[in-house]
Amino acid sequence: MIATQFFASAKKNWLRILFCVVLFVGIALFVTWRLPQTCDAGSTLTVSRSNTIKQENVDYYLYDNYYSIQSGAFLADNIAGWLASPPIVANIYQKASVNLPETNYNALSKQFLVKKLSQNSNVISFSLNWGNQDEAIKLVKAANEYITEMVEELNTDQKDVSAHYTVNTSEPVVIAVKKGYIINSLIAATLALIISGLSLLYTSKE
């Protein structure tokens, strides 16, 4: 009985339901349009042992390619930790001459999204989402330079040149993030239908 009344009420009030859907979708499109345009910027770092000494020139065993990659993977883990350290992130922003975002101390550890190809990989990629494309490029370049400088400082503490590391960085890649007009419209339309349905269900019980 209630179902019959519900569908009869929906058929009778289809124009009201349509108006509700159009209103919600219109609001969603307007809010999405008002959102600031952002972009994703990132780079890739490859960490490896420096090959400055040849095996035939020394009387001790040098790291071969496999162990060089394994050793680089350990340092890559440390670099991932550096990019999640609030003080280091703050230094990167300062190096890039970009103002820190208005957030708390712990949130700085999430400014960079860091990924490794695999657990034993010596290649890591990092990215950030930012509102200004030029500043995003500056931040990525500053991060590459800062990480390279920190690795060079580690090398200065190692007298054995074969134990030195090198960091190869890629050029920053910037991609504009598309605004979610379609997904937001679908969510708004679904929400409008749910609210309209609940309203009709409530009135059909009376």
Side-chain angles (χ1 to χ4, degrees), residues 5-201:
Q5 293 176 345
F6 174 80
F7 287 111
S9 180
K11 185 177 181 180
K12 183 180 179 181
N13 296 280
W14 69 270
L15 194 59
R16 184 189 301 178
I17 297 174
L18 179 61
F19 174 78
C20 185
V21 171
V22 172
L23 178 63
F24 274 58
V25 170
I27 294 174
L29 291 173
F30 177 76
V31 172
T32 305
W33 174 72
R34 291 285 296 172
L35 291 174
Q37 179 66 53
T38 62
C39 64
D40 287 333
S43 179
T44 300
L45 304 174
T46 304
V47 187
S48 58
R49 287 273 193 174
S50 302
N51 296 319
T52 57
I53 301 178
K54 295 183 179 181
Q55 181 66 67
E56 59 267 21
N57 295 332
V58 294
D59 57 359
Y60 54 86
Y61 181 73
L62 295 176
Y63 283 95
D64 59 18
N65 188 53
Y66 172 78
Y67 289 107
S68 177
I69 293 176
Q70 290 294 100
S71 179
F74 292 137
L75 182 55
D77 289 332
N78 290 333
I79 292 175
W82 294 345
L83 291 171
S85 171
I88 291 179
V89 172
N91 289 337
I92 290 173
Y93 273 80
Q94 184 178 8
K95 187 177 184 65
S97 298
V98 175
N99 293 330
L100 282 169
E102 296 181 359
T103 183
N104 57 53
Y105 181 83
N106 291 329
L108 288 177
S109 63
K110 301 178 181 179
Q111 291 298 307
F112 292 102
L113 177 63
V114 184
K115 293 182 179 180
K116 286 187 65 177
L117 296 179
S118 65
Q119 182 178 359
N120 297 324
S121 174
N122 63 330
V123 179
I124 65 172
S125 61
F126 69 92
S127 62
L128 80 158
N129 183 267
W130 200 248
N132 183 290
Q133 180 172 324
D134 292 335
E135 290 185 347
I137 294 175
K138 288 181 180 179
L139 286 168
V140 173
K141 287 184 176 180
N144 283 339
E145 293 173 2
Y146 194 82
I147 294 301
T148 301
E149 291 171 1
M150 293 187 68
V151 172
E152 289 175 352
E153 288 182 6
L154 290 177
N155 289 337
T156 58
D157 295 332
Q158 294 288 340
K159 295 182 179 180
D160 184 1
V161 180
S162 64
H164 287 186
Y165 291 94
T166 58
V167 179
N168 294 319
T169 63
S170 67
E171 287 296 318
V173 176
V174 183
I175 301 175
V177 178
K178 294 182 179 179
K179 295 184 179 181
Y181 287 106
I182 296 177
I183 186 65
N184 290 343
S185 298
L186 291 175
I187 293 174
T190 303
L191 183 60
L193 291 173
I194 292 174
I195 293 176
S196 299
L198 291 175
S199 177
L200 292 174
L201 184 62

